[in-house]
Amino acid sequence: MIYKIARRNPNLCRFCGICRDAVSCPTELFSEDCIGCKACYLACPYGAIEMVPHERKRLIEILIDREIYFVPEKITVSDALEFAGFPISSAPCGVGGCFACAVMIDSETKLACVTEAVEGMQIDTVEKGGPMRVVSGFAPHLVGGVGTPYALKSRMRPVEVACFLHGCNYRCPQCQNHVMAFTGGVAMTPETTAEMLVRMKGMYQVERVAFSGGECTLNRKFLIESIKHLKRIDKGVRIHVDTNGSLLTSDYIDELVDAGMTDIGIDLKALSLDTFTRITAVSKDAERYLKTAWNAVKYILDNHDIFVGIGIPYNQALTSSEEIGAMGKEIAQMSTDVQVSLLDYRPAFKRRDLTIPTAAEMADMKNILNATGLNNVIAQTGEGYIGP
Ligand code: SF4
Ligand code: SF4
Ligand code: FES
């Protein structure tokens, strides 16, 4: 049976230390014991880690939901479950950040994506206990995110406090927040997360809190419970969810609004599948993610009375001006008043070769969007925001 293991390419490695310091390798980095979880491969900013084929000859015996199965040795619990016919459908981050793949292993909650399947292990696929998630960076935001109204962004003091949830289902090579998107860490409960946010909200005297990331919607139970707890301890709080929208089915949206979400920012990466794949580097689920995000915007605008902001990234190496115009036309058919934020994609992570779009370029893209009938377009530039 052929699986893949990680190898560092010394010619490409820049010794940044991320694989050593930010990735919780479940074995020993790049050793023969590698279980191919890919956590280091996804986190390396310089593409210096390759996944190379490696044969697994021996089978081990494990118990899944009290039945005996034989699976290859030195693979992850996710791979073992898949091998045995129990694929984890909700395992989107794969780096130990979102906790959506949590299962009970020998009576303890563990993450299937970064845990090794070992001889005699007892796996219970029904998770017991409450949801958890790796959360970091509770911080005040001066300008907020895509779901922050422009009128608030222009103030010279924080408009909200945000928490950043680790793990993402996209693999964007130009990710602007890659340490949170592609690493795990210590997990928190929804209650602790909500309490930290309310404490920070008081410290900075703001009315709003935000869930950002990484992709904050990955672990549905965690996000819903966090929002419900926020409303329990601070009834008047405005709650902003900053998301790529890829998992926001109508029932998930209804549940978020019922829980207490008041503002949402959805970052629509593209209109065409080609551009979407280039920006996100997602392959298998790209079509579903893209469709779900666009449907989510329409569903919210048609059915819910909450603040909606739409993000459109721009960099000429990734998106054409024609596609920006086509996105504008699609959005204008849903609403001409919705706030649309053009985001200048800068060199970052694995795409340090990108050139920062100039303020003039961003102004041109904004004009293209305005020409489609949209009248609430703002553009983020290196020189500050261009208002509607
Ligand atoms: S993350 Fe990549 S570039 Fe950085 S030290 Fe590890 S292998 Fe080298
Ligand atoms: S982080 Fe995962 S893929 Fe990388 S060396 Fe460790 S076990 Fe292998
Ligand atoms: S898929 Fe395992 S923690 Fe996200």
Side-chain angles (χ1 to χ4, degrees):
M1 294 142 296
I2 303 295
Y3 282 82
K4 289 189 170 172
I5 60 170
R7 283 285 170 266
R8 187 177 62 94
N9 180 336
N11 298 322
L12 295 176
C13 177
R14 308 265 189 99
F15 304 100
C16 70
I18 284 185
C19 59
R20 192 193 57 228
D21 302 333
V23 173
S24 309
C25 171
T27 57
E28 191 188 332
L29 269 177
F30 317 132
S31 71
E32 284 302 305
D33 289 331
C34 170
I35 58 168
C37 73
K38 290 200 192 153
C40 60
Y41 164 79
L42 291 169
C44 174
Y46 296 100
I49 299 173
E50 297 157 0
M51 298 302 297
V52 299
H54 193 78
E55 191 172 10
R56 298 290 182 219
K57 293 191 179 127
R58 203 169 75 89
L59 290 176
I60 55 168
E61 184 184 312
I62 60 172
L63 283 173
I64 303 174
D65 295 339
R66 298 193 186 80
E67 299 277 335
I68 294 176
Y69 291 87
F70 291 91
V71 299
E73 64 170 348
K74 294 201 179 302
I75 61 174
T76 63
V77 168
S78 288
D79 284 341
L81 287 169
E82 185 160 354
F83 185 88
F86 297 80
I88 292 197
S89 53
S90 60
C93 89
V95 298
C98 73
F99 273 59
C101 66
V103 289
M104 295 301 287
I105 297 179
D106 298 335
S107 306
E108 274 180 53
T109 302
K110 296 228 171 116
L111 300 180
C113 68
V114 288
T115 300
E116 180 178 356
V118 296
E119 184 86 48
M121 179 178 258
Q122 296 191 35
I123 304 168
D124 188 343
T125 55
V126 180
E127 190 205 351
K128 299 182 181 74
M132 303 274 280
R133 180 115 189 220
V134 178
V135 187
S136 70
F138 291 86
H141 247 194
L142 271 182
V143 290
V146 165
T148 308
Y150 181 70
L152 297 181
K153 286 176 184 284
S154 52
R155 302 189 316 188
M156 291 308 290
R157 62 186 186 87
V159 294
E160 58 193 30
V161 289
C163 67
F164 298 91
L165 308 191
H166 284 230
C168 188
N169 55 335
Y170 287 2
R171 307 298 188 212
C172 307
Q174 65 293 324
C175 179
Q176 316 275 312
N177 236 349
H178 64 91
V179 175
M180 279 156 206
F182 301 116
T183 64
V186 180
M188 281 188 183
T189 63
E191 290 76 18
T192 312
T193 307
E195 280 151 26
M196 284 287 289
L197 280 169
V198 169
R199 200 173 312 153
M200 294 275 294
K201 174 177 170 275
M203 268 168 64
Y204 287 94
Q205 301 191 338
V206 292
E207 289 167 4
R208 302 161 55 87
V209 301
F211 290 91
S212 189
E215 173 48 44
C216 70
T217 64
L218 292 193
N219 184 333
R220 180 167 170 167
K221 271 197 225 159
F222 176 89
L223 184 59
I224 297 289
E225 285 307 313
S226 300
I227 293 176
K228 283 185 176 166
H229 196 65
L230 271 167
K231 291 300 279 187
R232 273 196 289 272
I233 59 177
D234 186 347
K235 282 196 174 43
V237 62
R238 285 198 75 89
I239 301 169
H240 167 196
V241 168
D242 220 351
T243 170
N244 62 33
S246 62
L247 303 174
L248 290 185
T249 49
S250 52
D251 59 311
Y252 194 171
I253 294 164
D254 293 344
E255 200 179 0
L256 284 166
V257 176
D258 288 348
M261 175 179 75
T262 53
D263 302 64
I264 189 165
I266 300 185
D267 200 357
L268 292 172
K269 304 287 187 197
L271 183 61
S272 75
L273 192 56
D274 260 11
T275 309
F276 181 77
T277 308
R278 182 163 53 249
I279 290 177
T280 63
V282 170
S283 47
K284 194 167 110 259
D285 295 308
E287 202 166 350
R288 173 168 64 91
Y289 288 163
L290 179 60
K291 203 167 160 198
T292 305
W294 278 91
N295 287 345
V297 171
K298 178 153 178 46
Y299 182 78
I300 298 169
L301 289 171
D302 288 349
N303 295 282
H304 289 292
D305 187 19
I306 60 172
F307 181 83
V308 182
I310 298 173
I312 299 184
Y314 177 71
N315 185 295
Q316 63 170 341
L318 301 168
T319 312
S320 67
S321 53
E322 288 76 20
E323 183 148 352
I324 296 289
M327 290 178 83
K329 278 187 195 147
E330 284 290 318
I331 296 167
Q333 281 177 17
M334 299 185 235
S335 163
T336 48
D337 295 330
V338 65
Q339 176 174 294
V340 176
S341 303
L342 264 169
L343 309 166
D344 54 344
Y345 263 17
R346 301 160 188 210
F349 195 37
K350 301 183 188 199
R351 290 300 311 267
R352 283 155 211 262
D353 58 311
L354 294 177
T355 309
I356 304 176
T358 62
E361 254 184 290
M362 295 305 287
D364 287 347
M365 294 306 125
K366 175 172 151 44
N367 289 338
I368 288 172
L369 288 174
N370 286 141
T372 65
L374 294 172
N375 56 40
N376 194 6
V377 180
I378 60 178
Q380 169 189 287
T381 81
E383 296 166 23
Y385 275 95
I386 307 173

